[in-house]
Amino acid sequence: MGFSTPAEQTQFLRDAPDFERMLVESGIKLVKLWLDISRDEQRRRLDDRRTDPLKQLKVSDMDAAAQTRWSDYSNARNTMLLRTHTPLAPWFCVRGDEKENARIAVLRHLVGSIAPADIAGSHRKPDPATLFPFEPAAIADGRLAA
């Protein structure tokens, strides 16, 4: 979409893990969530936005272009996840086709990740079918949208 040059993308992928390491080492609790959605669900939501008066402000010209570049976006996502997922700053993936399940999973994950230990230890964990730690196998095994 022309938001950045290939050189800028390369620099970002090189610098992001070091930057995130510095944040974590300075005491910041960094939580990285990748909200994933299937192509069919994205198409359905975009169609809803075009016809629902309450959602029409969410529509942009970029939406149509994004659907035609789904494969490019997926490849960029895969590269970004692979290059910026580190032990100090791991990615967690959220399957977002079912909005309510995704929202609940994110909230549970955040409570478990950043709440004080006495609170974090007493809450339910997110459903692993909805929210899971990123691993390279998720790209090929269907956990992430293709």
Side-chain angles (χ1 to χ4, degrees), residues 9-45:
Q9 294 164 22
T10 298
Q11 182 176 349
F12 168 80
L13 292 170
R14 183 189 66 234
D15 293 348
D18 289 335
F19 177 69
E20 292 171 349
R21 177 188 48 76
M22 289 187 287
L23 292 174
V24 172
E25 288 175 351
S26 72
I28 292 174
K29 292 184 178 182
L30 182 62
V31 178
K32 296 186 335 189
L33 297 167
W34 177 261
L35 304 175
D36 203 57
I37 187 169
S38 70
R39 188 175 195 168
D40 288 342
E41 180 62 15
Q42 180 69 0
R43 186 179 296 115
R44 189 191 66 71
R45 289 182 189 178

Side-chain angles (χ1 to χ4, degrees), residues 48-81:
D48 284 350
R49 289 176 185 174
R50 288 183 196 98
T51 58
D52 184 335
L54 298 176
K55 297 178 182 178
Q56 286 180 348
L57 292 175
K58 291 182 172 184
V59 177
S60 75
D61 293 338
M62 222 173 21
D63 294 330
Q67 278 288 299
T68 65
R69 296 179 178 194
W70 188 268
S71 180
D72 294 335
Y73 279 16
S74 296
N75 290 334
R77 172 207 59 200
N78 296 346
T79 299
M80 188 267 314
L81 289 171

